[in-house]
Amino acid sequence: MGYVLDFAEGDGSMRDLLGGKGAGLAEMTKLGLAVPSGFTITTDACRYVMEHNEAPPGLWEEVDEGITRLEKSTGREFGGSPIPLLVSVRSGAKFSMPGMMDTVLNLGLNDGVVETLAEWSNDHHFAWDAYRRFVQMYGEIVMGVPEHLFQEVLTDMRIARSVSDDSDLDADDLEHATRRFQQIVFAHTGKALPTNTDEQLRGAVGAVFSSWSNRRAQDYRKVNGIPDDIGTAANVQMMVFGDMGDDSGTGVCFTRNPSTGEKLPYGDYLARAQGEDVVAGIRTAASLDELARLHPQSHAELLSVMDRLERHFHDMCDIEFTIEKGELFILQTRAGKRTATAAVRIAVEMATEGIIDRKTAITRVDPGTLEQFDRPRIDPAADWKPIGRGLAASPGAAFGKAVFSADRAVTLHAASEDVILVRPETTPDDYHGMVAAKGILTSQGSGGSHAAVVARGMGKPAVVGTRGLLVDVRGARAVIGDHAISEGDEITIDGTTGSVYLGASPLIAPSDVPQLETLLQWADEVRTLGVRANADTPTDAAKARQAGAAGIGLARTEHMFLGERTAVVRKIILAKDETVRRAGLVQLKEMQVADFEGLLEAMDGLPVIIRLLDPPLHEFLPSRLELEQEMHRLVPLKQSITGLQEMARQVERWEEANPMMGLRGVRLGLVEPDLYRMQVEAALEAVVRRIDAGGDPHLEVMVPLVGTPEELRRMKEMIAREIERYSKSSGHELKVPVGTMIELPRAALVARELAATADFFSFGTNDLTQMTYGLSRDDAEARFLSRYLEDGILESNPFQTLDRDGVGRLVRFATREGKEANASLVVGVCGEHGGDPASIAFCKEVGLDYVSCSTPRIKVARLAAAQAELESTKADV
Amino acid sequence: MGYVLDFAEGDGSMRDLLGGKGAGLAEMTKLGLAVPSGFTITTDACRYVMEHNEAPPGLWEEVDEGITRLEKSTGREFGGSPIPLLVSVRSGAKFSMPGMMDTVLNLGLNDGVVETLAEWSNDHHFAWDAYRRFVQMYGEIVMGVPEHLFQEVLTDMRIARSVSDDSDLDADDLEHATRRFQQIVFAHTGKALPTNTDEQLRGAVGAVFSSWSNRRAQDYRKVNGIPDDIGTAANVQMMVFGDMGDDSGTGVCFTRNPSTGEKLPYGDYLARAQGEDVVAGIRTAASLDELARLHPQSHAELLSVMDRLERHFHDMCDIEFTIEKGELFILQTRAGKRTATAAVRIAVEMATEGIIDRKTAITRVDPGTLEQFDRPRIDPAADWKPIGRGLAASPGAAFGKAVFSADRAVTLHAASEDVILVRPETTPDDYHGMVAAKGILTSQGSGGSHAAVVARGMGKPAVVGTRGLLVDVRGARAVIGDHAISEGDEITIDGTTGSVYLGASPLIAPSDVPQLETLLQWADEVRTLGVRANADTPTDAAKARQAGAAGIGLARTEHMFLGERTAVVRKIILAKDETVRRAGLVQLKEMQVADFEGLLEAMDGLPVIIRLLDPPLHEFLPSRLELEQEMHRLVPLKQSITGLQEMARQVERWEEANPMMGLRGVRLGLVEPDLYRMQVEAALEAVVRRIDAGGDPHLEVMVPLVGTPEELRRMKEMIAREIERYSKSSGHELKVPVGTMIELPRAALVARELAATADFFSFGTNDLTQMTYGLSRDDAEARFLSRYLEDGILESNPFQTLDRDGVGRLVRFATREGKEANASLVVGVCGEHGGDPASIAFCKEVGLDYVSCSTPRIKVARLAAAQAELESTKADV
């Protein structure tokens, strides 16, 4: 086999030999599409050149024969008349390396051919512009003339003519420029630009092959893991021109609407234009309807091509085409980019139409995009400029009046105002304000900070860690860059992008995509991995169930300790008197019973895992620094600070150097047993009430921060005693599985021993990641995690996508050990990773039973679980 | 075989059948010692009784025969005359269960026999006291009469006679009491106490067997893991009496001096006394010399027994003996308790004498006790009462004038005063004060707090977390309980016991035990596990080398950033101007070069591992709270706080919620590369200077807090570049191994990948334990770790003894993976566990190459490593 293959001789499978572009052109040619003819010089030739530093024997003869065939099939003459054949010479390796290698266009022109071209096109301006471009490109790429030498000529000329664009120069100017370019090439290289078109072609092919070895291509391959020795192909293809008169033009079209997914061809057409003009959007393009009016036949032909391509590639296609003197050419096609909405609609409708099967439809939608569907967003049509940018902590957009305290948020909300709560960072003290606000904006914090986690849980937009935002809480004002924000000023935040705007930006409502439910039903039919919700309130639980959650995998009871209840919690913590303490506990218990009843009712018939109190108690107290500052403020006012001093003493008592690793979770449950017992009593009381009300509650109790089997054994004993007591007193035989979080590395390491006591495991991958990495998420995201990601020290944020090599090994180990020791052990994950598609794939791979994630991620998880299932089935075959 | 074995029939190996006590008595009998005769009723009998609830057939006949043999061998008559045979009936299971089961003494008395006893002993008081005791004991234990009924009688009688002790009652009183006791037994049980001595014996044996199943014995077995079904034996033994006249007495002796180890018999003897009297120390005992004077023959006999016992048991023995009417009886023998000094001397001398071999000598000393040898301590003879107690954080005792600030410590020290630095807790700011002080006393903190760690490193006594100590730093005073301490008051602290005293307590100097060096040499010959030092200063390094360290396993460079250098470090951290920052770095580098030179010189020819900066930078800044309080103080004084406000802003910038898991170690090295580069340069500069000075430096560089292979790769690249640069500029080819701490669980999990880059691993088991458990040591020890240990949730403090099940699994895994991937990888441990004997055993077991520990622990580690070696060799056989 030789080194040259016509497009008609290859097909899409021959990427090794023809490169990606060559194989694509061959495939389209094979489909009978009106692809401009041409041939590919194979990667074999490139490899030969690399090795021997000269063209393989017979190559140029084969190329000449290829040109001859091309002349024959196109009816044009290379370097001749009446219709001159111009060609492009493009690189194209097996793997896409966009922009890394070289291309020469309009090859085949010389002082004679340019006149023929002008005659045939009847357009001097067009002909000389083509020639000018060719000389410039060839001079640069093949002959190594610095670009700026050409640019200077054009700049002078534009100034002289008072025009801003090169194409506004007239034909004479372009001719003049071309002559100057030829002189520059000669002056710089000592050689004239070849007038022989065969020689031009050899030069261009050689340059394309050389460009495989240029520095940036080498760097690109190194970064992307592409082998250095595979070489590139060179594609020689007839040039067609959309700018050769009124019966020419160029366009881009999609086989379906890429924005809505509607099954209607959609596209842009520009008369008298080259492909770049459409892409650059310099002129306003017309629709395909306009094309139908201007060129009914080409339009009909294009529709037919679109139909064939979609059926051939089984996907919505994006097609570049050119009409040259009334003749339609197809230049390129690929899978079309589309919005999330369109992706869902296209996938479901194509499956319904029989173009793809349901499984393929499931794989066609990026699960991560589903979260957008339920959130309002800033109208992309609005041309707004953000005044600042922070971390996109909770998606969706919101606007309202800026307020700087939780109390003001509540007051304005009560007066039916929309508010955005702006704080340096939020704490449990701000919870009631967060409930009242439409969105949260903070200057501090990260994706794992209080503001972010709580806002995500509430499904409210939040932007945190906003650069340049300074918040003056006492003065009720803020600045961001040069912009001042006072209380009551309207601002808009976009938690999907992290942008902050002044004023109320127009929002568009969540999109209603009827096909989504169908797609998710198909996903449910495929997947075996369960999906539960992390939900703390009955409202959230109901929403989660609506979104398809099969129960609650994590109800964080501490979130029930916030808002106005903080006062009760403080009373319990600070009580010096046992009676006061007991009274507080009773009060809190009654509240918790109602909480749990609501959750169990919302998830009637489905499992509800309640996690006992997790954070350290001092999270419910003010900080010492705050107290000190408050005292500092009061003293000059001659106000009493005795109460504050007493509070400061208590706070000091509970303070910890590293609260993340302190007295929390089961440790608190063992050291202060009243709290946990109260919670268990409240949960069981709620179960009894639900049964009495005719419900079907499935309570499960989860113990957090367990590190040793003994901790779990003791808690399970306590819980078992309470279950027995409530079973007796209620007359119902209560069955309540007791399980443990696996969130400490040690828990994973002793999983076998824990499984002897646990009915279920739930990986708390947030904390497990923090401990395994020894990485405080808040501190790290604020300070150096972004740096690590930018510098490539970490490939992905381990708090977003589960770290397979480290944390993942523990998850895999603990799952295996746990299930071996206890065959009925149910194992799930309830960290934020439970809503991350890549992590869900890992969960499926290691054999977990379910993932649990926040309500807005339920649909994401359902789809991702189905994709993971399909992936694992594929791997099985 | 029957159910009864005479002592002469058994031996020490028959613990299953005879129980521990029975086997011991048999062994001594077999040796021909004058053990009071008797027999053992086997555990088989007990098990039969447990199962059938009645005595096995023939048991009582066998017992009767045993008594008959006993009568024959002793020449005494059970229940008869002229010499009555009294016996004790004691429980004795295979495993020691001290005080859990029952014993009956003086059995064989009735109204007749008591008269015979009085006649034979010629001592009515003695006879009636024995009878009174018997009735009381039998009544309680066999017949179940509550003790208080008997006590009330005695109390009334003591009051009537105005005496304080029962034994001060006269013979008539005792007879009267005995009669009353008999009536109480009858009144309470409806039965008379048996007068038939055979019947008495059966009752007592039955009661002993029953006591196996009493509640406290069951609880004890549960806690100590002793099976419930093995039962106890019952030992019936002739009673001998040391209080039967002037030719009787009792004593305890040691075959060598238990305090000094000197090879001289040592002991106490009390004439006319029972064994309890010696133990209770009620009367002042005479020495063995007195015994020689009173009973030369018994004394000679005793010396001979001592010699035989020592040779038989190959150890220093503790012997209880009684002389009854001039006749010597040996009651018990066991390995004698001894001081650390004595243990060393005895072990070495016995090996020299050929009584034991060297390996046995090595196993005879508790390695943990060696740390005492180098520290002064409070004279145990001084009868001082502590005024408070805290955690024994660093051993040794010290006294001096109390000071409450580091600066005052330095001032007084300069005036040649001894001072004790008293602080709420210490921080890097106090370092210069700690250097100046003789000892440290704090009210806060734990064994892992700054004060404890630094004091241990300096080898200074420290007591931390002292209960009831309130320190008023500004007022320069403290209170502890009711005692006030002002600046300049003399106080004494004992870091071995945690006690705090008012005044200057007499101290005794470190003991000079010449045998210790011999023992350690033997240990070095045996061990294969290396021992290195954690040392940060040339002085400490020299001391460590002196103590036998084969290099430095960990030099914490951050300790070199303390004291007056903190100012330079702060300059670097807070610099807004690059020039200022650079100047600071240069200044610090020069200091570090000198530091490193000193270390390399002290350890010339041996490896010195320098760990790059580990803690977060804000550790070198004051806390925000401190700054706030200081501003609070200055404002009313109309002083400027601008500087403090600026500092507070900077501190806020660096502050972290969980500094343990924040921007420290290699993270800092990557984000602020100047610091690490400066340290590497300084270390290489020091190497070059040492070579130029004719030295033999073996520098190794260690990177802390590595979690991903990429972090290590980048640091190694940087270090390699510097090594190349210094090699070139100096003309010496520098060879500097680069390794990593393994202190994050993730590092252990990716050990295989890390080993590809690392020349060595060093397990930082302190942090590894913290991260694996998710346990902040300071917080945990202050708050709940003691509770966990008391409640048995944890069996040992994982910061003292390596947690085998959790952290240990990671250590084992990482060692195996690392060594598999890189056969030349050197693996050690440099956490505090490196000086803990149990952890050292584990290190040996998993195949580490060395342990590195603080200087005072070097000898501990050498001995423990040898013991671990012997243990593992034993396991191999």
Side-chain angles (χ1 to χ4, degrees), chain A residues 234-454:
Chain A
N235 299 290
V236 178
Q237 187 180 24
M238 175 181 81
M239 296 284 302
V240 292
F241 301 98
D243 52 351
M244 211 164 41
D246 290 336
D247 55 351
S248 298
T250 192
V252 174
C253 64
F254 297 85
T255 57
R256 304 188 182 214
N257 188 309
S259 180
T260 64
E262 199 181 0
K263 198 191 173 188
L264 271 181
Y266 173 94
D268 293 328
Y269 175 72
L270 264 182
R272 291 193 72 115
Q274 291 188 321
E276 301 93 279
D277 302 333
V278 183
V279 176
I282 293 169
R283 284 158 50 199
T284 305
S287 72
L288 291 187
D289 294 343
E290 180 72 3
L291 178 65
R293 205 179 53 76
L294 294 170
H295 302 285
Q297 194 190 330
S298 291
H299 180 255
E301 216 176 305
L302 184 62
L303 291 189
S304 145
V305 164
M306 287 164 82
D307 189 54
R308 288 184 54 205
L309 281 174
E310 190 173 279
R311 289 188 180 275
H312 182 72
F313 290 109
H314 306 295
D315 201 354
M316 187 269 269
C317 296
D318 162 355
I319 300 160
E320 290 178 23
F321 64 93
T322 284
I323 297 173
E324 184 190 82
K325 288 180 172 284
E327 187 178 353
L328 175 72
F329 290 95
I330 305 299
L331 302 181
Q332 179 159 308
T333 187
R334 55 190 169 189
K337 291 217 184 314
R338 65 206 78 180
T339 64
T341 310
V344 170
R345 179 162 176 182
I346 291 170
V348 170
E349 289 186 349
M350 280 195 168
T352 312
E353 293 160 23
I355 298 176
I356 56 176
D357 63 13
R358 289 181 176 184
K359 287 180 181 174
T360 307
I362 289 169
T363 65
R364 282 285 168 80
V365 176
D366 173 1
T369 61
L370 297 194
E371 209 178 344
Q372 302 170 11
F373 284 65
D374 297 323
R375 303 286 174 89
R377 56 209 162 97
I378 292 180
D379 189 342
D383 188 18
W384 273 51
K385 226 182 126 57
I387 57 165
R389 200 171 283 279
L391 289 168
S394 179
F399 60 81
K401 297 191 162 159
V403 292
F404 300 89
S405 79
D407 292 341
R408 284 298 289 163
V410 170
T411 310
L412 267 73
H413 175 66
S416 301
E417 298 273 13
D418 288 342
V419 297
I420 303 290
L421 180 62
V422 184
R423 298 284 297 171
E425 57 190 340
T426 63
T427 69
D429 280 339
D430 299 316
Y431 188 82
H432 58 299
M434 297 174 77
V435 172
K438 288 277 171 196
I440 321 293
L441 174 65
T442 71
S443 57
Q444 312 298 321
S446 67
S449 62
H450 181 266
V453 170
V454 174

Side-chain angles (χ1 to χ4, degrees), chain A residues 708-721:
Chain A
T708 73
E710 188 59 24
E711 289 170 325
L712 184 62
R713 263 195 295 274
R714 295 196 183 200
M715 291 317 307
K716 190 167 177 178
E717 267 174 34
M718 181 275 280
I719 297 165
R721 274 196 304 274

Side-chain angles (χ1 to χ4, degrees), chain A residues 171-229:
Chain A
D172 287 347
D173 288 336
L174 292 170
E175 177 173 354
H176 182 63
T178 307
R179 303 288 176 217
R180 292 270 298 119
F181 284 5
Q182 288 170 328
Q183 286 159 12
I184 287 170
V185 169
F186 185 76
H188 190 83
T189 66
K191 283 185 281 188
L193 194 144
T195 53
N196 180 297
T197 53
D198 290 341
E199 202 182 322
Q200 287 175 0
L201 182 57
R202 288 171 200 191
V205 170
V208 162
F209 282 165
S210 298
S211 70
W212 172 257
S213 303
N214 72 32
R215 179 65 185 268
R216 58 189 179 158
Q218 284 181 19
D219 289 348
Y220 183 90
R221 287 198 294 274
K222 198 170 170 186
V223 170
N224 291 276
I226 300 174
D228 265 337
D229 58 0

